[in-house]
Amino acid sequence: MDNNPKHLAKVAVVIQPGFVPLDVAVPQQVFGRWPDHLAAARPGGTPYELTLASPASAEGPLLPREVEPLDRLDTADTVIVTGVEDPAVPPEAELVERLRDAYERGSRMVSICTGAFALAAAGVLDGLHATTHWKHIDEFERDFPAVEVDRDVLYVDEGDVLTSAGVCCGIDLCLHIVRRDLGAATANQMARGLVAAPHRDGGQAQYVPAPVAGTDDTSLARTRAWALERVDQPLTI
């Protein structure tokens, strides 16, 4: 259980211009659409109050209708910054300022995928370990040398600052937050409802494209493939 019950209240999800829709949908599903049977099992009912917030410049057919102004971050206990398609575009000055203010007030700061660029721009990640999508991690490390970049992990937990790698790693991170806040049993039930793994081992390195061996090489690739087709049989040397 998290030692800071304040985090169980207001969650603000930040939608930037050029946002990735799935990055927004994940925290909505985990924190905003709390299953009835889980809410009924808690004395206080639904543990999280979720708000979507964005700059006025965020627009598009996929932008949710219930978006609030960025000043909703002023009262948020947890701020989740979702990713953008092009992290080379700097986050807006107002967002950077409000993220910095929220961090200084003691809000828990979270990023999904390339949302880490906005947290880093606000100085939230200085001196901490963090991660982002492998496709942009060289750019991230170059632009923010004060951040200790972890390249191969699915997410990084630095206490009140948490970052995730690529889009689907946002599910891993959000379930991890539920596990911290409400315990493993509740997180497992939430994962079951999402048809997701409660916890995934390994890191994002497994998803980075790797060279495929040619058919004329002298490796054991064909032997391994033959063995994998017979894992239900005893295989001798």
Side-chain angles (χ1 to χ4, degrees):
M1 295 290 289
D2 196 329
N3 292 325
N4 290 310
K6 65 178 183 178
H7 291 322
L8 306 189
K10 298 180 180 179
V11 176
V13 177
V14 177
I15 305 175
Q16 303 183 69
F19 67 97
V20 177
L22 185 56
D23 283 7
V24 178
V26 167
Q28 275 187 292
Q29 189 70 39
V30 174
F31 301 107
R33 295 182 173 89
W34 200 256
D36 291 340
H37 70 286
L38 290 181
R42 289 184 53 79
T46 303
Y48 301 104
E49 176 189 327
L50 183 133
T51 300
L52 305 178
S54 72
S57 56
E59 57 184 18
L62 296 179
L63 182 69
R65 278 184 265 182
E66 63 272 22
V67 174
E68 303 284 344
L70 281 179
D71 60 10
R72 292 303 296 267
L73 272 62
D74 296 347
T75 57
D77 303 300
T78 297
V79 175
I80 301 177
V81 184
T82 57
V84 292
E85 296 287 357
D86 184 5
V89 178
E92 296 187 4
E94 181 191 4
L95 173 59
V96 171
E97 181 179 355
R98 290 194 181 275
L99 291 176
R100 187 180 296 119
D101 289 346
Y103 179 57
E104 292 175 352
R105 280 195 308 272
S107 297
R108 177 166 58 186
M109 309 299 289
V110 180
S111 68
I112 295 177
C113 197
T114 54
F117 280 75
L119 287 188
V124 172
L125 303 180
D126 287 358
L128 301 177
H129 288 260
T131 193
T132 190
H133 194 290
W134 61 264
K135 188 176 180 181
H136 301 284
I137 209 156
D138 288 338
E139 176 186 349
F140 183 75
E141 191 170 44
R142 182 197 66 223
D143 292 348
F144 304 105
V147 181
E148 296 289 335
V149 177
D150 288 351
R151 290 175 166 268
D152 298 332
V153 297
L154 299 180
Y155 59 84
V156 175
D157 181 346
E158 285 276 36
D160 278 352
V161 179
L162 303 95
T163 54
S164 86
V167 178
C168 289
C169 298
I171 300 175
D172 299 285
L173 180 55
C174 288
L175 288 174
H176 171 71
I177 291 172
V178 172
R179 190 180 307 113
R180 270 185 41 174
D181 289 347
L182 304 171
T186 300
N188 290 348
Q189 287 181 290
M190 173 62 74
R192 184 179 181 186
L194 295 172
V195 196
H199 174 76
R200 285 195 296 166
D201 293 323
Q204 65 172 326
Q206 62 191 303
Y207 303 108
V208 178
V212 178
T215 56
D216 58 346
D217 64 29
T218 58
S219 74
L220 296 174
R222 293 178 62 187
T223 304
R224 291 197 300 271
W226 177 89
L228 285 171
E229 293 174 357
R230 295 163 176 80
V231 293
D232 59 335
Q233 307 171 21
L235 301 177
T236 66
I237 295 177

PDB file of all heavy atoms in Angstrom, residues 136-157:
ATOM      1  N   HIS A 136      12.807   6.958 -29.496  1.00  0.00           N
ATOM      2  CA  HIS A 136      13.192   8.349 -29.250  1.00  0.00           C
ATOM      3  C   HIS A 136      14.195   8.481 -28.106  1.00  0.00           C
ATOM      4  O   HIS A 136      14.468   9.598 -27.669  1.00  0.00           O
ATOM      5  CB  HIS A 136      11.944   9.185 -28.928  1.00  0.00           C
ATOM      6  CG  HIS A 136      10.913   9.174 -30.020  1.00  0.00           C
ATOM      7  ND1 HIS A 136      11.053   9.893 -31.181  1.00  0.00           N
ATOM      8  CD2 HIS A 136       9.734   8.505 -30.122  1.00  0.00           C
ATOM      9  CE1 HIS A 136       9.996   9.686 -31.962  1.00  0.00           C
ATOM     10  NE2 HIS A 136       9.185   8.849 -31.341  1.00  0.00           N
ATOM     11  N   ILE A 137      14.743   7.377 -27.635  1.00  0.00           N
ATOM     12  CA  ILE A 137      15.526   7.450 -26.413  1.00  0.00           C
ATOM     13  C   ILE A 137      16.882   8.129 -26.631  1.00  0.00           C
ATOM     14  O   ILE A 137      17.403   8.800 -25.729  1.00  0.00           O
ATOM     15  CB  ILE A 137      15.684   6.045 -25.789  1.00  0.00           C
ATOM     16  CG1 ILE A 137      15.835   6.169 -24.274  1.00  0.00           C
ATOM     17  CG2 ILE A 137      16.820   5.255 -26.429  1.00  0.00           C
ATOM     18  CD1 ILE A 137      15.441   4.944 -23.505  1.00  0.00           C
ATOM     19  N   ASP A 138      17.471   7.994 -27.824  1.00  0.00           N
ATOM     20  CA  ASP A 138      18.728   8.703 -28.109  1.00  0.00           C
ATOM     21  C   ASP A 138      18.506  10.209 -28.082  1.00  0.00           C
ATOM     22  O   ASP A 138      19.301  10.967 -27.516  1.00  0.00           O
ATOM     23  CB  ASP A 138      19.285   8.283 -29.469  1.00  0.00           C
ATOM     24  CG  ASP A 138      19.849   6.872 -29.464  1.00  0.00           C
ATOM     25  OD1 ASP A 138      20.191   6.373 -28.367  1.00  0.00           O
ATOM     26  OD2 ASP A 138      19.943   6.266 -30.546  1.00  0.00           O
ATOM     27  N   GLU A 139      17.420  10.636 -28.690  1.00  0.00           N
ATOM     28  CA  GLU A 139      17.053  12.058 -28.714  1.00  0.00           C
ATOM     29  C   GLU A 139      16.793  12.563 -27.293  1.00  0.00           C
ATOM     30  O   GLU A 139      17.221  13.662 -26.920  1.00  0.00           O
ATOM     31  CB  GLU A 139      15.808  12.202 -29.583  1.00  0.00           C
ATOM     32  CG  GLU A 139      15.205  13.569 -29.666  1.00  0.00           C
ATOM     33  CD  GLU A 139      13.900  13.551 -30.447  1.00  0.00           C
ATOM     34  OE1 GLU A 139      13.586  12.517 -31.089  1.00  0.00           O
ATOM     35  OE2 GLU A 139      13.188  14.562 -30.396  1.00  0.00           O
ATOM     36  N   PHE A 140      16.116  11.752 -26.513  1.00  0.00           N
ATOM     37  CA  PHE A 140      15.801  12.124 -25.135  1.00  0.00           C
ATOM     38  C   PHE A 140      17.080  12.289 -24.318  1.00  0.00           C
ATOM     39  O   PHE A 140      17.253  13.275 -23.592  1.00  0.00           O
ATOM     40  CB  PHE A 140      14.902  11.048 -24.523  1.00  0.00           C
ATOM     41  CG  PHE A 140      14.443  11.327 -23.126  1.00  0.00           C
ATOM     42  CD1 PHE A 140      13.460  12.266 -22.880  1.00  0.00           C
ATOM     43  CD2 PHE A 140      14.979  10.643 -22.054  1.00  0.00           C
ATOM     44  CE1 PHE A 140      13.013  12.526 -21.591  1.00  0.00           C
ATOM     45  CE2 PHE A 140      14.551  10.886 -20.763  1.00  0.00           C
ATOM     46  CZ  PHE A 140      13.568  11.830 -20.524  1.00  0.00           C
ATOM     47  N   GLU A 141      17.991  11.332 -24.446  1.00  0.00           N
ATOM     48  CA  GLU A 141      19.240  11.380 -23.689  1.00  0.00           C
ATOM     49  C   GLU A 141      20.096  12.577 -24.106  1.00  0.00           C
ATOM     50  O   GLU A 141      20.747  13.203 -23.269  1.00  0.00           O
ATOM     51  CB  GLU A 141      20.009  10.073 -23.895  1.00  0.00           C
ATOM     52  CG  GLU A 141      21.194   9.890 -22.973  1.00  0.00           C
ATOM     53  CD  GLU A 141      21.746   8.482 -23.058  1.00  0.00           C
ATOM     54  OE1 GLU A 141      21.871   7.963 -24.185  1.00  0.00           O
ATOM     55  OE2 GLU A 141      22.040   7.897 -22.008  1.00  0.00           O
ATOM     56  N   ARG A 142      20.064  12.897 -25.388  1.00  0.00           N
ATOM     57  CA  ARG A 142      20.841  14.044 -25.890  1.00  0.00           C
ATOM     58  C   ARG A 142      20.272  15.363 -25.393  1.00  0.00           C
ATOM     59  O   ARG A 142      21.016  16.257 -24.991  1.00  0.00           O
ATOM     60  CB  ARG A 142      20.837  14.025 -27.420  1.00  0.00           C
ATOM     61  CG  ARG A 142      21.649  15.141 -28.076  1.00  0.00           C
ATOM     62  CD  ARG A 142      21.267  15.288 -29.528  1.00  0.00           C
ATOM     63  NE  ARG A 142      19.899  15.760 -29.685  1.00  0.00           N
ATOM     64  CZ  ARG A 142      19.039  15.270 -30.581  1.00  0.00           C
ATOM     65  NH1 ARG A 142      19.379  14.288 -31.382  1.00  0.00           N
ATOM     66  NH2 ARG A 142      17.808  15.774 -30.656  1.00  0.00           N
ATOM     67  N   ASP A 143      18.950  15.481 -25.404  1.00  0.00           N
ATOM     68  CA  ASP A 143      18.315  16.755 -25.055  1.00  0.00           C
ATOM     69  C   ASP A 143      18.274  17.019 -23.555  1.00  0.00           C
ATOM     70  O   ASP A 143      18.191  18.172 -23.127  1.00  0.00           O
ATOM     71  CB  ASP A 143      16.887  16.798 -25.611  1.00  0.00           C
ATOM     72  CG  ASP A 143      16.844  16.870 -27.127  1.00  0.00           C
ATOM     73  OD1 ASP A 143      17.909  17.106 -27.742  1.00  0.00           O
ATOM     74  OD2 ASP A 143      15.755  16.688 -27.697  1.00  0.00           O
ATOM     75  N   PHE A 144      18.329  15.942 -22.748  1.00  0.00           N
ATOM     76  CA  PHE A 144      18.186  16.108 -21.302  1.00  0.00           C
ATOM     77  C   PHE A 144      19.303  15.360 -20.565  1.00  0.00           C
ATOM     78  O   PHE A 144      19.085  14.307 -19.955  1.00  0.00           O
ATOM     79  CB  PHE A 144      16.811  15.613 -20.848  1.00  0.00           C
ATOM     80  CG  PHE A 144      15.667  16.280 -21.557  1.00  0.00           C
ATOM     81  CD1 PHE A 144      14.953  15.608 -22.540  1.00  0.00           C
ATOM     82  CD2 PHE A 144      15.326  17.594 -21.272  1.00  0.00           C
ATOM     83  CE1 PHE A 144      13.913  16.222 -23.210  1.00  0.00           C
ATOM     84  CE2 PHE A 144      14.288  18.224 -21.931  1.00  0.00           C
ATOM     85  CZ  PHE A 144      13.577  17.540 -22.913  1.00  0.00           C
ATOM     86  N   PRO A 145      20.521  15.890 -20.639  1.00  0.00           N
ATOM     87  CA  PRO A 145      21.678  15.196 -20.038  1.00  0.00           C
ATOM     88  C   PRO A 145      21.595  15.081 -18.523  1.00  0.00           C
ATOM     89  O   PRO A 145      22.322  14.273 -17.934  1.00  0.00           O
ATOM     90  CB  PRO A 145      22.858  16.067 -20.469  1.00  0.00           C
ATOM     91  CG  PRO A 145      22.278  17.416 -20.773  1.00  0.00           C
ATOM     92  CD  PRO A 145      20.912  17.138 -21.317  1.00  0.00           C
ATOM     93  N   ALA A 146      20.732  15.856 -17.863  1.00  0.00           N
ATOM     94  CA  ALA A 146      20.605  15.774 -16.404  1.00  0.00           C
ATOM     95  C   ALA A 146      19.782  14.571 -15.958  1.00  0.00           C
ATOM     96  O   ALA A 146      19.684  14.292 -14.764  1.00  0.00           O
ATOM     97  CB  ALA A 146      19.976  17.053 -15.857  1.00  0.00           C
ATOM     98  N   VAL A 147      19.193  13.850 -16.918  1.00  0.00           N
ATOM     99  CA  VAL A 147      18.358  12.690 -16.603  1.00  0.00           C
ATOM    100  C   VAL A 147      19.169  11.412 -16.783  1.00  0.00           C
ATOM    101  O   VAL A 147      19.887  11.256 -17.767  1.00  0.00           O
ATOM    102  CB  VAL A 147      17.115  12.654 -17.517  1.00  0.00           C
ATOM    103  CG1 VAL A 147      16.235  11.454 -17.166  1.00  0.00           C
ATOM    104  CG2 VAL A 147      16.325  13.951 -17.414  1.00  0.00           C
ATOM    105  N   GLU A 148      19.055  10.494 -15.825  1.00  0.00           N
ATOM    106  CA  GLU A 148      19.696   9.181 -15.930  1.00  0.00           C
ATOM    107  C   GLU A 148      18.752   8.265 -16.717  1.00  0.00           C
ATOM    108  O   GLU A 148      17.730   7.825 -16.196  1.00  0.00           O
ATOM    109  CB  GLU A 148      19.959   8.607 -14.538  1.00  0.00           C
ATOM    110  CG  GLU A 148      20.939   9.399 -13.707  1.00  0.00           C
ATOM    111  CD  GLU A 148      22.366   9.274 -14.230  1.00  0.00           C
ATOM    112  OE1 GLU A 148      22.666   8.254 -14.897  1.00  0.00           O
ATOM    113  OE2 GLU A 148      23.169  10.184 -13.974  1.00  0.00           O
ATOM    114  N   VAL A 149      19.091   7.993 -17.964  1.00  0.00           N
ATOM    115  CA  VAL A 149      18.186   7.267 -18.850  1.00  0.00           C
ATOM    116  C   VAL A 149      18.358   5.758 -18.691  1.00  0.00           C
ATOM    117  O   VAL A 149      19.473   5.237 -18.778  1.00  0.00           O
ATOM    118  CB  VAL A 149      18.419   7.675 -20.314  1.00  0.00           C
ATOM    119  CG1 VAL A 149      17.519   6.872 -21.241  1.00  0.00           C
ATOM    120  CG2 VAL A 149      18.164   9.170 -20.495  1.00  0.00           C
ATOM    121  N   ASP A 150      17.253   5.063 -18.442  1.00  0.00           N
ATOM    122  CA  ASP A 150      17.226   3.602 -18.422  1.00  0.00           C
ATOM    123  C   ASP A 150      16.605   3.139 -19.733  1.00  0.00           C
ATOM    124  O   ASP A 150      15.419   3.353 -19.983  1.00  0.00           O
ATOM    125  CB  ASP A 150      16.400   3.083 -17.241  1.00  0.00           C
ATOM    126  CG  ASP A 150      17.111   3.290 -15.912  1.00  0.00           C
ATOM    127  OD1 ASP A 150      18.297   3.680 -15.927  1.00  0.00           O
ATOM    128  OD2 ASP A 150      16.479   3.074 -14.860  1.00  0.00           O
ATOM    129  N   ARG A 151      17.396   2.486 -20.559  1.00  0.00           N
ATOM    130  CA  ARG A 151      16.972   2.189 -21.922  1.00  0.00           C
ATOM    131  C   ARG A 151      16.093   0.949 -22.061  1.00  0.00           C
ATOM    132  O   ARG A 151      15.253   0.888 -22.959  1.00  0.00           O
ATOM    133  CB  ARG A 151      18.207   2.008 -22.819  1.00  0.00           C
ATOM    134  CG  ARG A 151      18.957   3.303 -23.058  1.00  0.00           C
ATOM    135  CD  ARG A 151      20.242   3.085 -23.844  1.00  0.00           C
ATOM    136  NE  ARG A 151      20.734   4.364 -24.336  1.00  0.00           N
ATOM    137  CZ  ARG A 151      20.442   4.872 -25.521  1.00  0.00           C
ATOM    138  NH1 ARG A 151      19.661   4.196 -26.342  1.00  0.00           N
ATOM    139  NH2 ARG A 151      20.912   6.044 -25.895  1.00  0.00           N
ATOM    140  N   ASP A 152      16.291  -0.054 -21.247  1.00  0.00           N
ATOM    141  CA  ASP A 152      15.695  -1.359 -21.521  1.00  0.00           C
ATOM    142  C   ASP A 152      14.485  -1.712 -20.665  1.00  0.00           C
ATOM    143  O   ASP A 152      13.947  -2.803 -20.782  1.00  0.00           O
ATOM    144  CB  ASP A 152      16.757  -2.452 -21.345  1.00  0.00           C
ATOM    145  CG  ASP A 152      17.912  -2.281 -22.324  1.00  0.00           C
ATOM    146  OD1 ASP A 152      17.670  -1.720 -23.408  1.00  0.00           O
ATOM    147  OD2 ASP A 152      19.025  -2.705 -22.000  1.00  0.00           O
ATOM    148  N   VAL A 153      14.064  -0.819 -19.800  1.00  0.00           N
ATOM    149  CA  VAL A 153      12.989  -1.158 -18.859  1.00  0.00           C
ATOM    150  C   VAL A 153      11.618  -0.820 -19.441  1.00  0.00           C
ATOM    151  O   VAL A 153      11.495  -0.018 -20.375  1.00  0.00           O
ATOM    152  CB  VAL A 153      13.182  -0.415 -17.522  1.00  0.00           C
ATOM    153  CG1 VAL A 153      14.479  -0.859 -16.859  1.00  0.00           C
ATOM    154  CG2 VAL A 153      13.195   1.099 -17.741  1.00  0.00           C
ATOM    155  N   LEU A 154      10.573  -1.421 -18.868  1.00  0.00           N
ATOM    156  CA  LEU A 154       9.207  -1.091 -19.258  1.00  0.00           C
ATOM    157  C   LEU A 154       8.734   0.183 -18.579  1.00  0.00           C
ATOM    158  O   LEU A 154       7.962   0.945 -19.145  1.00  0.00           O
ATOM    159  CB  LEU A 154       8.262  -2.246 -18.910  1.00  0.00           C
ATOM    160  CG  LEU A 154       8.551  -3.587 -19.603  1.00  0.00           C
ATOM    161  CD1 LEU A 154       7.540  -4.631 -19.162  1.00  0.00           C
ATOM    162  CD2 LEU A 154       8.541  -3.432 -21.114  1.00  0.00           C
ATOM    163  N   TYR A 155       9.186   0.388 -17.345  1.00  0.00           N
ATOM    164  CA  TYR A 155       8.871   1.626 -16.631  1.00  0.00           C
ATOM    165  C   TYR A 155       9.877   1.828 -15.511  1.00  0.00           C
ATOM    166  O   TYR A 155      10.610   0.907 -15.136  1.00  0.00           O
ATOM    167  CB  TYR A 155       7.444   1.635 -16.068  1.00  0.00           C
ATOM    168  CG  TYR A 155       7.121   0.519 -15.106  1.00  0.00           C
ATOM    169  CD1 TYR A 155       7.443   0.613 -13.753  1.00  0.00           C
ATOM    170  CD2 TYR A 155       6.478  -0.632 -15.544  1.00  0.00           C
ATOM    171  CE1 TYR A 155       7.144  -0.405 -12.864  1.00  0.00           C
ATOM    172  CE2 TYR A 155       6.169  -1.658 -14.659  1.00  0.00           C
ATOM    173  CZ  TYR A 155       6.505  -1.541 -13.326  1.00  0.00           C
ATOM    174  OH  TYR A 155       6.210  -2.548 -12.455  1.00  0.00           O
ATOM    175  N   VAL A 156       9.926   3.053 -14.996  1.00  0.00           N
ATOM    176  CA  VAL A 156      10.830   3.410 -13.899  1.00  0.00           C
ATOM    177  C   VAL A 156       9.995   4.031 -12.783  1.00  0.00           C
ATOM    178  O   VAL A 156       9.181   4.932 -13.024  1.00  0.00           O
ATOM    179  CB  VAL A 156      11.913   4.410 -14.357  1.00  0.00           C
ATOM    180  CG1 VAL A 156      12.751   4.864 -13.168  1.00  0.00           C
ATOM    181  CG2 VAL A 156      12.804   3.784 -15.422  1.00  0.00           C
ATOM    182  N   ASP A 157      10.211   3.560 -11.568  1.00  0.00           N
ATOM    183  CA  ASP A 157       9.526   4.095 -10.394  1.00  0.00           C
ATOM    184  C   ASP A 157      10.560   4.777  -9.513  1.00  0.00           C
ATOM    185  O   ASP A 157      11.402   4.125  -8.916  1.00  0.00           O
ATOM    186  CB  ASP A 157       8.831   2.961  -9.638  1.00  0.00           C
ATOM    187  CG  ASP A 157       8.067   3.454  -8.402  1.00  0.00           C
ATOM    188  OD1 ASP A 157       8.273   4.608  -7.979  1.00  0.00           O
ATOM    189  OD2 ASP A 157       7.272   2.663  -7.856  1.00  0.00           O
TER     190      ASP A 157
END
